[in-house]
């Protein structure tokens, strides 16, 4: 009986070994076996198929070569199967992430910001350059007002770049003006001379004192006669530096023209310096007897209020005026009380011009910024000892 039992048990063990070799999951406990059988029902695959699939995807071959699985390995395989089920494919999730398009690098987003930064830098640099150009213009302008023409000519001859720096700022200022006085003078001269021009006679000779870049000459040389004939004007342009072929560099108190050879003399915003009387005397020398002088100047330089400090006295020492003197003083104040300051200073300027040999034929004060004067010779010889200067433009120090 004992032998029969041993033989029966050995047969059962052999049968059990054969079953274990076929299905390793049968060695698991009952709970694990039920869970595994449920997974096989869901997936429809055996453990061998799962192992084969796992070896193809992510699990290394060394870790699943054994016949029995550990708990951690089974847990890992379940996670892989769950991921594959969610993605709907059997591909390796890491390979799928690599196959996607690369994410944009942070430098791609920085390109427009760098362009904006460059634009901001350029705008700030332009603003600083404009401020520097404006301050440079004011310094040169003040120097021209407070020195003689001979000193300015010597300095600009040594440093001709100052001329361009000055006129660059001047052109910037002209843009803000309601009207350029050069355009007013061109219209006036064209209306006066071009319609009555006779091509058989000599042309109208114009001398532009302090011409700048010779804009007046450029405009007048494009004017044609009444019948479309040749240009009626011949223009001589003078300034401290010659920026183009139309300009002659010289001191405006000594221009290279012969006596009484000019029909029209122009001073367009060019009465700059402490020796303005020399400019007017030079214009008197080169102007014909029937010629004209046109002056365009800033009103604040000529029409400004001032006080005579040298004539002040102590109030205690002043005598009281008599009743008759009071009446005469009040009547004189009533006549010209409104324009006493402005007309008085303009009249003073015209009185100086009278001593230098000119009388005013026409004055135009319609412009709020400039005053336009037209002069002719009055038959007097210019006073050689007279000196005068208009109010200089002095800028505040910042």
């Amino acid at each position: 009986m004992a032998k029969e039992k041993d033989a029966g048990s050995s047969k059962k063990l052999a049968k059990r070994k054969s079953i274990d070799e076929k299905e390793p999951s049968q060695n698991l406990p009952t709970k694990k076996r039920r869970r595994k059988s449920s997974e096989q029902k869901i997936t429809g695959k055996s453990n061998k198929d799962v192992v084969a699939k796992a070896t193809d995807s992510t699990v290394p071959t060394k870790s699943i070569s054994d016949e029995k699985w550990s708990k951690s390995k089974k847990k890992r395989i379940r996670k892989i199967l769950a991921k594959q089920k969610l993605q709907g494919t059997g591909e390796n999730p890491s390979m799928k992430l690599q196959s996607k398009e690369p994410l944009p690098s942070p430098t791609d987003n920085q390109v427009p910001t760098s362009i904006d930064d460059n634009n901001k830098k350029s705008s700030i640099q332009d603003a600083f350059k404009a401020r520097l150009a404006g301050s440079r213009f004011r310094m040169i302008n003040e120097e021209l007002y407070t020195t003689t023409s001979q000193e300015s000519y010597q300095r600009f001859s040594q440093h001709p770049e100052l001329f361009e720096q000055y006129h660059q700022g001047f052109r910037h200022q002209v843009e803000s003006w309601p009207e350029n006085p050069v355009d007013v003078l061109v219209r006036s001269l064209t209306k006066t001379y071009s319609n009555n021009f006779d091509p058989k006679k000599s042309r109208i000779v114009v001398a532009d004192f302090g011409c700048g870049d010779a804009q007046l000459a450029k405009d007048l040389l494009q004017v044609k006669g009444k019948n479309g004939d040749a240009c009626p004007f011949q223009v001589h342009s003078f300034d401290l530096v010659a920026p183009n072929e139309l300009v002659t560099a010289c001191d405006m108190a000594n221009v290279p023209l012969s006596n009484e050879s000019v029909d029209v003399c122009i001073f367009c915003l060019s009465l700059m310096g402490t020796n303005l009387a020399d400019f007017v005397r030079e214009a008197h020398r080169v102007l014909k007897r029937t010629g004209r002088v046109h002056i365009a100047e800033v009103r604040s330089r000529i029409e400004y209020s001032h006080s005579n400090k040298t004539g002040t006295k102590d109030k205690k020492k002043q005598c009281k005026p008599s009743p008759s003197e009071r009446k005469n003083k009040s009547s004189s104040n009533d006549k010209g009380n409104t324009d006493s300051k402005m007309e008085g200073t303009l009249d003073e300027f015209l009185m100086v011009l009278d001593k230098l040999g000119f009388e005013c034929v026409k004055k135009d004060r319609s412009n709020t910024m400039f005053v336009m004067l037209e002069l002719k010779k009055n038959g007097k010889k210019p006073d050689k000892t007279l000196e005068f200067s208009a109010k200089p433009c002095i800028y505040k120090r910042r």
Side-chain angles (χ1 to χ4, degrees):
M1 291 293 290
K3 289 181 181 180
E4 289 178 1
K5 285 181 181 180
D6 293 337
S9 60
S10 62
K11 286 181 181 179
K12 288 181 180 179
L13 289 172
K15 190 176 182 180
R16 185 66 177 264
K17 282 183 180 181
S18 62
I19 293 170
D20 291 342
E21 288 176 358
K22 291 180 181 179
E23 289 290 339
S25 61
Q26 297 295 329
N27 297 327
L28 297 173
T30 56
K31 290 184 179 180
K32 298 281 184 179
R33 208 179 305 149
R34 289 172 189 169
R35 192 185 302 166
K36 201 68 183 176
S37 61
S38 63
E39 288 179 0
Q40 290 178 6
K41 287 179 182 178
I42 293 169
T43 56
K45 297 177 183 178
S46 63
N47 286 337
K48 289 183 179 180
D49 297 335
V50 173
V51 171
K53 195 130 192 175
T55 54
D56 295 338
S57 58
T58 57
V59 180
T61 55
K62 290 182 180 180
S63 63
I64 60 172
S65 59
D66 300 331
E67 293 180 357
K68 295 182 180 180
W69 293 350
S70 65
K71 292 182 180 180
S72 60
K73 291 175 185 175
K74 293 173 186 177
K75 192 174 182 181
R76 201 183 310 161
I77 291 172
R78 288 194 203 99
K79 287 182 180 181
I80 292 170
L81 289 173
K83 285 183 181 180
Q84 291 177 354
K85 194 171 183 181
L86 288 173
Q87 293 175 359
T89 59
E91 297 178 359
N92 188 350
S94 62
M95 294 298 292
K96 190 167 184 179
L97 287 172
Q98 291 178 4
S99 63
K100 289 183 179 179
E101 295 181 359
L103 295 173
S105 61
T107 56
D108 296 338
N109 297 328
Q110 292 176 1
V111 173
T113 56
S114 63
I115 294 173
D116 294 339
D117 292 340
N118 291 333
N119 292 333
K120 288 180 181 178
K121 288 180 181 179
S122 62
S123 61
I124 293 171
Q125 289 173 356
D126 293 340
F128 275 113
K129 286 180 181 178
R131 290 185 65 180
L132 287 173
S135 61
R136 196 179 297 115
F137 164 74
R138 288 189 292 270
M139 290 175 61
I140 300 172
N141 195 37
E142 183 176 330
E143 184 179 350
L144 291 172
Y145 277 121
T146 55
T147 56
T148 62
S149 60
Q150 186 177 2
E151 293 172 350
S152 299
Y153 177 60
Q154 290 176 357
R155 176 146 191 236
F156 275 70
S157 299
Q158 296 173 0
H159 305 282
E161 67 275 5
L162 296 176
F163 186 84
E164 178 57 31
Q165 292 173 3
Y166 171 79
H167 282 280
Q168 184 179 0
F170 179 78
R171 286 189 290 268
H172 181 69
Q173 276 199 345
V174 170
E175 294 175 358
S176 61
W177 292 351
E179 190 172 25
N180 192 345
V182 173
D183 300 334
V184 179
L185 290 171
V186 169
R187 289 197 300 267
S188 177
L189 295 176
T190 303
K191 183 179 178 180
T192 305
Y193 296 103
S194 63
N195 295 333
N196 301 324
F197 175 66
D198 187 0
K200 296 179 181 179
K201 297 181 180 180
S202 59
R203 293 186 291 176
I204 307 300
V205 181
V206 180
D208 188 4
F209 289 76
C211 63
D213 54 359
Q215 187 60 45
L216 182 80
K218 294 174 184 177
D219 294 341
L220 288 179
L221 293 176
Q222 293 179 358
V223 177
K224 294 184 178 180
K226 186 177 182 180
N227 300 323
D229 301 326
C231 178
F233 296 104
Q234 179 185 356
V235 186
H236 299 282
S237 303
F238 305 106
D239 214 317
L240 301 174
V241 176
N244 52 55
E245 65 278 0
L246 297 175
V247 184
T248 302
C250 67
D251 179 6
M252 288 194 300
N254 186 19
V255 296
L257 291 176
S258 57
N259 296 339
E260 298 184 357
S261 59
V262 176
D263 296 292
V264 182
C265 291
I266 303 292
F267 290 96
C268 183
L269 307 177
S270 57
L271 292 176
M272 304 176 69
T274 57
N275 58 328
L276 301 184
D278 296 336
F279 301 165
V280 180
R281 279 190 285 264
E282 186 68 2
H284 190 279
R285 181 186 70 83
V286 301
L287 189 68
K288 296 179 181 179
R289 292 182 180 180
T290 58
R292 292 287 188 272
V293 175
H294 291 265
I295 297 177
E297 193 52 67
V298 180
R299 293 182 66 170
S300 61
R301 295 197 62 214
I302 298 174
E303 299 177 350
Y304 64 95
S305 60
H306 66 285
S307 60
N308 187 10
K309 295 182 180 180
T310 58
T312 58
K313 296 181 180 180
D314 192 1
K315 290 183 179 180
K316 294 182 180 179
K317 295 182 179 180
Q318 287 181 355
C319 299
K320 293 182 179 181
S322 61
S324 60
E325 289 177 351
R326 289 175 185 173
K327 290 181 180 179
N328 294 333
K329 190 173 182 180
S330 62
S331 61
S332 62
N333 289 336
D334 292 338
K335 287 181 181 179
N337 190 24
T338 56
D339 297 330
S340 60
K341 287 185 178 180
M342 297 179 69
E343 288 289 339
T345 53
L346 182 58
D347 288 341
E348 289 176 3
F349 181 68
L350 295 178
M351 286 173 61
V352 172
L353 294 176
D354 181 73
K355 294 178 181 179
L356 293 173
F358 291 102
E359 65 175 312
C360 182
V361 177
K362 182 180 178 182
K363 58 183 176 180
D364 182 8
R365 297 169 60 193
S366 60
N367 195 301
T368 58
M369 294 183 64
F370 311 104
V371 58
M372 313 288 290
L373 301 176
E374 184 177 347
L375 313 174
K376 70 174 184 178
K377 286 186 175 181
N378 59 6
K380 299 178 183 179
K381 289 185 179 180
D383 188 353
K384 295 182 180 180
T385 61
L386 179 65
E387 294 182 1
F388 84 99
S389 61
K391 181 182 177 182
C393 294
I394 305 297
Y395 301 94
K396 294 182 180 180
R397 298 290 186 269
R398 296 179 181 178

